[in-house]
Amino acid sequence: MTLNSFLKAALVGLTLGVVTPAIPASAEVLRVVRGSTSSQLNVQMNGAVVVESDIPFAELSIANPAIADISSLSDRTIYVLGKSPGLTTLTILDGTGRLITNVDVRVTADISEFKERLTQILPGEKIEVRSANDGIVLSGTVSSAQKLQRAMDLAERYAPERVSNLMSVGGIQQVMLKVRFAEMQRSVSKSLQSSLATGGSVLGGDLGLELGTGNASSSAHVDAVADKLTASGNGQGAILFGFNAGGLEVGILLEALESKGVVRTLAEPNLTALSGQEAKFLAGGEYPIPVPQGDGLVSVEYKPFGVELNFTPRVVDGDLINLELQAAVSSPDPSNSLQLDTLRLDAFRRRETSTTVELRDGESFAIAGLLQDDFRDSNAQVPWLGDLPVLGALFRSAEYKREQSELVVIVTPHLVTPTRGEALALPTDRVKPPSEKDLFLFGRVAGDTRKPKGAAADVSRQDFSGSYGYVMD
């Protein structure tokens, strides 16, 4: 080869290198021909596709430059860059102004990187990812609601506010909550009181004297000392004795009483709800409360009482359950009533808790507890007389009272699935109305109590000394 030929070849190569830029190796290629119908071109956001024409073109136009950008690499090659999700049209014209073809350019979110990140963050989850218009569509089944939310949060990073959720959560999504209220109340009270009364003709027949328990008073026209001495309580533990000294009558009343009491309260509500849905339970009643409305009118409002349970379960991951609950046990308390003319309004004794906890299937949590110890005593006497040795005890009174209360609230959630109706037994299945023969002839108040066929174990014949109630595997 001569030097002249070498120089010509080098000059031609340099010219081609300047006029025709190299096509990116990562860009896809779409080939179009004259007269073809509109072609579909899919471009990922921040990705590029090369369009090649069999006929040289002279003019290019893009309907929406904000969605895609174009540049010509040669008279037959077009470089299309996706800028933002959407749909636009690329028009290609030849040198005479005639239409070569229209290309529909659809720019979609970059889901290839999203798929890779989703597999890394949630391995083993059967999630399908598709692009739709300018967004992302997620479908498939995930093992928990928490992982579903993670997938949604990650998709929002790639297509903000353009994510469609068609996923479903597998596994058990129904929760039965077992709540146990247990309260013990103990009370002890002791009292010692005395009263002394005198009367009779020695004092003129018109005066009497009564002393004791911190009280001293005079009364006229006393006919009997015993009528003046009255027990301060209900008369239990009271002893009355007296003697006569000539015309003087003396009566002494001693009260010594000790009382003990124990109260046991137990409530055990159970309620089932779907994950994420609120459930409510009330076993009790409603107490009427009058409310003045003005102009002498009175309306009535009803306050619920009894065993109340409101809760919202959320199955977070597998058998991990998040519980948002409110539980209460209440009952009317006549000892703290309000008397308005002829109307009496009772107060309410209420134990209530509201909290949010997280625990696994079958685990228990003591969500609330109360230990209360009240103690009070009092000592009263007649001035000066109560300080006398020995005899001073007749003019003194002492009272002692102590109350203790212990309360605990325990919750236990269970993941449950439904069963066939015949596998469950109702409390009413164990008792049937008696026939006329059983009722009038044999005096039976219930009919045949044999266990229904296919029902659960019958506990009606047990003495309840052992376990009974709800049984769950």
Side-chain angles (χ1 to χ4, degrees), residues 196-198 207-212 214-220 222 228 382:
L196 174 65
T198 60
L207 296 177
L209 180 65
E210 179 184 353
L211 298 175
N215 299 318
S217 63
S218 61
S219 59
V222 179
K228 298 175 60 180
V382 177

Side-chain angles (χ1 to χ4, degrees), residues 9-152:
L11 183 60
V12 172
L14 180 61
T15 302
L16 293 176
V18 173
V19 175
T20 307
I23 298 176
S26 60
E28 299 179 1
V29 177
L30 174 68
R31 188 174 298 277
V32 298
V33 296
R34 179 188 290 276
S36 63
T37 57
S38 297
S39 303
Q40 180 74 33
L41 177 63
N42 293 321
V43 185
Q44 290 186 355
M45 189 172 59
N46 299 324
V49 173
V50 175
V51 179
E52 291 185 349
S53 176
D54 290 345
I55 302 171
F57 58 83
E59 185 178 353
L60 302 174
S61 65
I62 189 76
N64 190 348
I67 295 178
D69 194 8
I70 58 174
S71 62
S72 59
L73 302 178
S74 68
D75 59 352
R76 295 175 183 266
T77 309
I78 308 167
Y79 187 76
V80 181
L81 174 66
K83 297 176 65 177
S84 63
L87 179 65
T88 187
T89 302
L90 169 63
T91 303
I92 305 175
L93 305 175
D94 62 10
T96 62
R98 297 177 59 188
L99 176 68
I100 297 177
T101 188
N102 285 326
V103 180
D104 292 333
V105 180
R106 183 180 298 277
V107 180
T108 59
D110 184 11
I111 63 174
S112 58
E113 181 184 359
F114 170 63
K115 288 181 179 179
E116 182 180 352
R117 295 292 179 267
L118 190 63
T119 303
Q120 294 174 353
I121 295 175
L122 300 175
E125 297 295 331
K126 299 178 181 179
I127 302 177
E128 298 179 1
V129 182
R130 297 181 179 87
S131 60
N133 196 7
D134 60 345
I136 296 177
V137 178
L138 300 179
S139 60
T141 304
V142 292
S143 58
S144 66
Q146 186 181 38
K147 292 183 178 179
L148 183 147
Q149 187 60 43
R150 290 178 182 175
M152 292 292 296

Side-chain angles (χ1 to χ4, degrees), residues 172-247:
I172 301 175
Q173 296 298 310
Q174 295 183 114
V175 179
M176 187 190 76
L177 181 63
K178 179 179 180 181
V179 181
R180 286 176 289 173
F181 290 86
E183 183 176 12
M184 283 293 292
Q185 300 178 25
R186 295 174 291 269
S187 62
V188 176
S189 63
K190 301 178 181 179
S191 62
L192 177 62
Q193 301 179 7
S194 63
S195 299
L196 174 65
T198 60
S201 59
V202 175
L203 299 177
D206 293 330
L207 296 177
L209 180 65
E210 179 184 353
L211 298 175
T213 65
N215 299 318
S217 63
S218 61
S219 59
H221 306 290
V222 179
D223 297 329
V225 174
D227 295 338
K228 298 175 60 180
L229 298 177
T230 304
S232 59
N234 55 11
Q236 296 180 357
I239 301 176
L240 175 64
F241 61 92
F243 59 90
N244 296 329

